[in-house]
Amino acid sequence: QVQLVESGGGLVQAGRSLRLSCAASGGTFSSYHMGWFRQAPGKEREFVAVINWSGGSTYYADSVKGRFTISRDNAKNTVYLQMNSLKPEDTAVYYCAARYSYKETIAVDIYEYDYWGQGTQVTVSS
């Protein structure tokens, strides 16, 4: 079983950047595809991005494509989300999630992920 801890959130002005990190422990990190989701107040948790176990394949929500980049370092057991050109509508709690690598990489539904972190708050001011 893997434990996930997100970090790197904070308050930032629109147009600026943030990099989120998600550190994994307690399991073999390369055994999981990794995803990022977010949840704004009063809204459902939504898919942001996913990266396959090796880092060779990624997929993004249309709302972040071209602005956000997901990456991973299997030697450091960490997945990242680089967020550029942030907008107020990106304000949310951001969660990382792990999905066993024997399953297909592209998974955008929260029910398709096996483990979750506790989340980190990102607030973008206008």
Side-chain angles (χ1 to χ4, degrees):
Q1 184 170 346
V2 64
Q3 290 80 45
L4 305 172
V5 179
E6 302 93 337
S7 62
L11 173 63
V12 64
Q13 289 184 325
R16 305 297 290 269
S17 299
L18 274 178
R19 188 177 81 156
L20 305 183
S21 300
C22 172
S25 62
T28 303
F29 186 60
S30 59
S31 296
Y32 300 94
H33 307 311
M34 297 299 298
W36 284 97
F37 286 73
R38 65 187 182 186
Q39 187 166 18
K43 296 188 176 182
E44 294 186 350
R45 194 170 299 187
E46 66 174 4
F47 169 78
V48 174
V50 62
I51 188 166
N52 79 325
W53 67 273
S54 68
S57 178
T58 59
Y59 181 76
Y60 298 91
D62 288 343
S63 58
V64 306
K65 198 173 297 181
R67 300 188 298 123
F68 290 11
T69 302
I70 188 171
S71 62
R72 66 189 295 160
D73 185 338
N74 284 350
K76 295 183 178 180
N77 293 347
T78 302
V79 62
Y80 305 98
L81 186 68
Q82 177 67 44
M83 306 186 294
N84 298 331
S85 302
L86 282 161
K87 305 176 181 179
E89 51 263 44
D90 294 319
T91 295
V93 177
Y94 283 72
Y95 299 88
C96 69
R99 172 177 166 82
Y100 286 111
S101 62
Y102 66 81
K103 302 178 183 180
E104 292 185 8
T105 300
I106 308 303
V108 302
D109 193 309
I110 61 172
Y111 301 106
E112 298 178 286
Y113 286 79
D114 302 292
Y115 302 102
W116 291 85
Q118 294 301 305
T120 186
Q121 176 71 47
V122 172
T123 303
V124 184
S125 63
S126 57

